[in-house]
């Protein structure tokens, strides 16, 4: 199991995220999950919660909790959508913008720390391999169906 690429990628991600989480808590008073919401709002001010959750890969519950926390610490403001009274739009405040920028420094420095023993060439190669892995690990319903048949129905449809 520990030789599987998925296990190794997950282990690396958890280690990097753990260090970032400690720095976020210590210096910003938020979690990395909440910072991801700030990233979205820095990129797309005035987003609604469903857009934030979709783009940051958060569940609706996670999105709601993150937005509430960020409102509580005055990093985002919520305003009713003028075109749709049911929707709420979120925007960064000045403290939110500063936290976003500080979080970006944290993320980059933690990444630099994780890659400290890699040469520039190795870092470029790793990024290329990770990009390929991300692309090749994407899947759709047809792929799930095909693998289900291979695994459980004995059919070898490799189209």
């Amino acid at each position: 199991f520990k030789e599987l690429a998925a296990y190794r990628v997950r282990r690396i991600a958890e280690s990097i995220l753990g260090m970032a989480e400690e720095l976020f808590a210590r210096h910003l008073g938020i979690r990395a999950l909440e910072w991801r919401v700030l990233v979205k709002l820095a990129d797309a001010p005035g987003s609604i919660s469903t857009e934030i959750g979709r783009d940051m890969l958060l569940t609706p519950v996670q999105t709601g909790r993150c937005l509430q926390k960020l409102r509580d610490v005055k990093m985002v403001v919520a305003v009713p959508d003028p075109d749709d009274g049911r929707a709420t739009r979120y925007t960064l405040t000045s403290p939110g913008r500063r936290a976003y920028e500080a979080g970006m420094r944290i993320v980059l420095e933690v990444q630099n720390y994780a890659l400290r023993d890699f040469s520039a060439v190795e870092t470029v190669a790793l990024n290329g391999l990770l990009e390929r892995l991300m692309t090749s690990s994407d899947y759709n319903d047809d792929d799930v169906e095909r693998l289900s048949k291979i695994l459980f129905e004995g059919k070898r449809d490799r189209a």
Side-chain angles (χ1 to χ4, degrees), residues 32-101:
L33 205 59
E34 292 148 356
W35 179 74
R36 286 168 47 192
V37 172
L38 298 180
V39 170
K40 171 63 179 176
L41 294 176
D43 184 51
S47 293
I48 60 175
S49 63
T50 53
E51 295 166 337
I52 295 166
R54 180 196 64 224
D55 294 348
M56 296 287 95
L57 304 176
L58 302 171
T59 67
V61 170
Q62 288 173 319
T63 304
R65 287 181 181 159
C66 288
L67 286 167
Q68 186 59 54
K69 166 71 176 186
L70 293 169
R71 288 175 70 184
D72 291 347
V73 297
K74 310 278 191 265
M75 290 186 186
V76 300
V77 292
V79 294
D81 185 320
D83 299 324
D84 181 356
R86 300 168 296 163
T88 302
R89 298 209 168 264
Y90 296 89
T91 306
L92 293 178
T93 62
S94 291
R97 171 67 61 184
R98 287 191 300 273
Y100 158 73
E101 291 167 357

Side-chain angles (χ1 to χ4, degrees), residues 23 28 30 34-35 39 44 49 58 72-73 75 77 97 101 105 111 115-116 118-119 123 125 128 131 154 158:
L23 291 164
L28 303 179
I30 60 174
E34 292 148 356
W35 179 74
V39 170
S49 63
L58 302 171
D72 291 347
V73 297
M75 290 186 186
V77 292
R97 171 67 61 184
E101 291 167 357
R105 289 192 308 273
Q111 177 177 282
L115 298 173
R116 68 192 178 282
F118 287 64
S119 70
T123 300
E131 187 65 35
R158 295 188 186 260

Side-chain angles (χ1 to χ4, degrees), residues 100-115:
Y100 158 73
E101 291 167 357
M104 188 60 73
R105 289 192 308 273
I106 288 170
V107 168
L108 292 174
E109 196 57 42
V110 168
Q111 177 177 282
N112 289 339
Y113 177 81
L115 298 173

Side-chain angles (χ1 to χ4, degrees), residues 136-153:
S136 69
S137 63
D138 281 344
Y139 66 92
N140 60 35
D141 290 340
D142 291 339
D143 297 321
V144 172
E145 187 63 31
R146 189 176 311 108
L147 286 177
S148 291
K149 287 179 181 179
I150 290 169
L151 289 166
F152 299 103
E153 296 175 21

